Amino acid sequence: MSATAEEISAVNLPIVPTDEEVEIRAAVRGICERVGGPEYHRRIVANDKSPTELWNALAEKGYLGVNLPERYGGGGLGMHALQMVGEEISAAGCSLLLIVVSPAIVGSIIARHGTEAQRDEWLPGIAAGTTKVAFAITEPDAGTNSHNLSTAATRDGDKYRVRGTKTYISGVEDVDAILVIARKREEDGTLGLPLLMLIDVDSPGLEKQHIPVAVKASDKQWTLFFDDVEVPADRVVGESETAGLKAAFDGLNPERIMGASVSNGVGRRALEIAAAYANERVVWKTPIGAHQGLSHPLAHAKIELELARLMTQKAAALYDAGVPAGEPANMAKYAAAEAAIKCVDQAIQTHGGNGFALEYGLTDMYWGARLARTAPVSREMILNYVAEHSLGLPRSY
Ligand SMILES: Cc1cc2nc3c(=O)[nH]c(=O)nc-3n(C[C@H](O)[C@H](O)[C@H](O)COP(=O)(O)OP(=O)(O)OC[C@H]3O[C@@H](n4cnc5c(N)ncnc54)[C@H](O)[C@@H]3O)c2cc1C
């Protein structure tokens, strides 16, 4: 959907970094470094720990709620600021998958679609980082086809009973609640519109099973089994039961913007490491970076990365202005994922055999970069979106 000329004229895309932006980036970077940077991240992953020190240090200074309204204790700076925080965390060699979920997806959905009571109850904690909420849409049998979601919410007096399975849900080990997309069981037994429900992580009937993955992220992945989990009706997000669809779609743009920002940070870090090595390592007469066989692919990756960062800023600016941001958010996520993969792959190539040594940290980055081609939305589904919505081509599915 295209924005109107009037809507676009209200959007401010800040290309020149403001003093505030420079300060936020430097402060976040500084906090990540003080906590221990890449060594901290490696230790957390190796010891199967949560990144609590990093989360708390960023939360204390308000960086995990920079996007949320000031009225609820947030920074009031929108997704434009949160995407900078996400980028700086991964550029510093750290990882906090929950930042994509709790303040970005869940915080944005509640801020825009929650009832006043829900905003008062949830946003101050999410903005302060003291309340963490995961997000669960993916199901084993529905996959990318969200029309096939089968987690069912059946009304029972003043509550719902939820049954179903969600999979690959990040960070459940550390959260207080999960924002679950279920579908309302209608009286005739069919599944109706989606309902977004805030479900306590320790609800009776909710079981979780760890999914080991190759990604060296500090947050874990889980399959969740909901066996008649009771959810009070006032935990359905929004004023009405029909509000869920729009709310769910609205949460996807912050998810894509944050996915892009994390990839942008990974790409920056990979190029920094690669350039440093290419300047130092000499095997003929000059540093290896003098050979165009190495410098051109790095330059190419740098250009693609900067274009992805620009599209990420555009998507955030449009989202913050409240105008349709689906197209730039999808494009930013696609471009950033592909750029990050290229940056990491080329950094590995630049290091020769050392690219495979754990000591150089590049192998740790590989699966994180590669993940972005698949999640939170796959490369193919973005191409489907652009083909259909930007180019007006017919759907194949
Ligand atoms: C580490 C990790 C963390 C995750 N965190 C979360 C989370 O916190 N919450 C959550 O809800 N989910 C999460 N996910 C799930 C993730 O969003 C999905 O894995 C992703 O959207 C792909 O869905 P799928 O795995 O069901 O793939 P499938 O739908 O089975 O697709 C398989 C392949 O087919 C392609 N494909 C499918 N349909 C089409 C089509 N019409 N045209 C072209 N190609 C198509 C896909 O692009 C993909 O390449 C996470 C996944 C991972 C790996």
Side-chain angles (χ1 to χ4, degrees), residues 26-307:
V28 171
R29 186 78 182 235
I31 289 173
C32 292
E33 280 164 8
R34 276 197 293 286
V35 169
E39 285 71 33
Y40 169 76
H41 173 65
R42 211 165 295 143
R43 203 168 58 241
I44 289 292
V45 173
N47 295 323
D48 215 15
K49 291 270 190 317
S50 297
T52 312
E53 299 81 0
L54 178 60
W55 181 275
N56 289 346
L58 289 165
E60 231 168 66
K61 299 284 178 195
Y63 292 116
L64 299 180
V66 276
N67 59 318
L68 294 171
E70 284 176 282
R71 188 175 155 201
Y72 301 102
L77 298 172
M79 286 302 299
H80 169 66
L82 193 67
Q83 67 86 19
M84 294 192 289
V85 175
E87 183 185 312
E88 292 306 322
I89 293 171
S90 49
C94 296
S95 132
L96 279 187
L97 276 189
L98 266 185
I99 195 179
V100 176
V101 182
S102 193
I105 307 177
V106 180
S108 300
I109 288 178
I110 296 176
R112 286 194 177 185
H113 299 277
T115 61
E116 217 177 309
Q118 286 166 347
R119 291 200 294 265
D120 285 341
E121 182 181 350
W122 292 90
L123 289 181
I126 293 176
T130 47
T131 301
K132 300 176 197 169
V133 188
F135 178 66
I137 178 169
T138 305
E139 292 185 5
D141 296 332
T144 295
N145 184 358
S146 51
H147 299 287
N148 272 351
L149 292 181
S150 64
T151 296
T154 308
R155 186 86 191 216
D156 180 6
D158 59 358
K159 57 184 178 297
Y160 286 88
R161 290 184 184 282
V162 176
R163 288 187 76 82
T165 308
K166 297 284 178 186
T167 195
Y168 287 103
I169 309 308
S170 301
V172 179
E173 70 278 14
D174 278 332
V175 300
D176 305 280
I178 307 157
L179 183 63
V180 175
I181 303 197
R183 287 172 70 195
K184 189 178 177 202
R185 170 95 52 208
E186 303 293 355
E187 277 170 17
D188 63 3
T190 57
L191 290 176
L193 288 172
L195 293 178
L196 268 77
M197 323 182 95
L198 286 155
I199 301 183
D200 290 334
V201 75
D202 54 4
S203 299
L206 172 52
E207 299 290 331
K208 64 180 198 294
Q209 190 174 60
H210 180 222
I211 311 172
V213 296
V215 182
K216 302 268 190 209
S218 38
D219 306 79
K220 297 185 180 58
Q221 318 307 321
W222 302 89
T223 296
L224 303 178
F225 303 96
F226 298 84
D227 184 8
D228 269 337
V229 174
E230 289 188 5
V231 184
D234 63 5
R235 289 296 194 88
V236 172
V237 175
E239 298 287 354
S240 72
E241 287 187 341
T242 53
L245 192 62
K246 176 146 187 10
F249 275 115
D250 254 9
L252 298 183
N253 288 333
E255 178 185 58
R256 284 153 177 58
I257 292 166
M258 288 308 290
S261 76
V262 169
S263 292
N264 290 334
V266 169
R268 271 176 52 196
R269 179 165 164 72
L271 288 186
E272 254 174 46
I273 295 173
Y277 191 84
N279 267 316
E280 271 169 25
R281 171 89 170 151
V282 180
V283 288
W284 305 95
K285 292 189 211 83
T286 55
I288 53 170
H291 308 308
Q292 290 175 343
L294 278 191
S295 65
H296 282 189
L298 289 173
H300 193 196
K302 170 73 175 163
I303 292 168
E304 292 188 7
L305 178 65
E306 292 306 324
L307 291 172

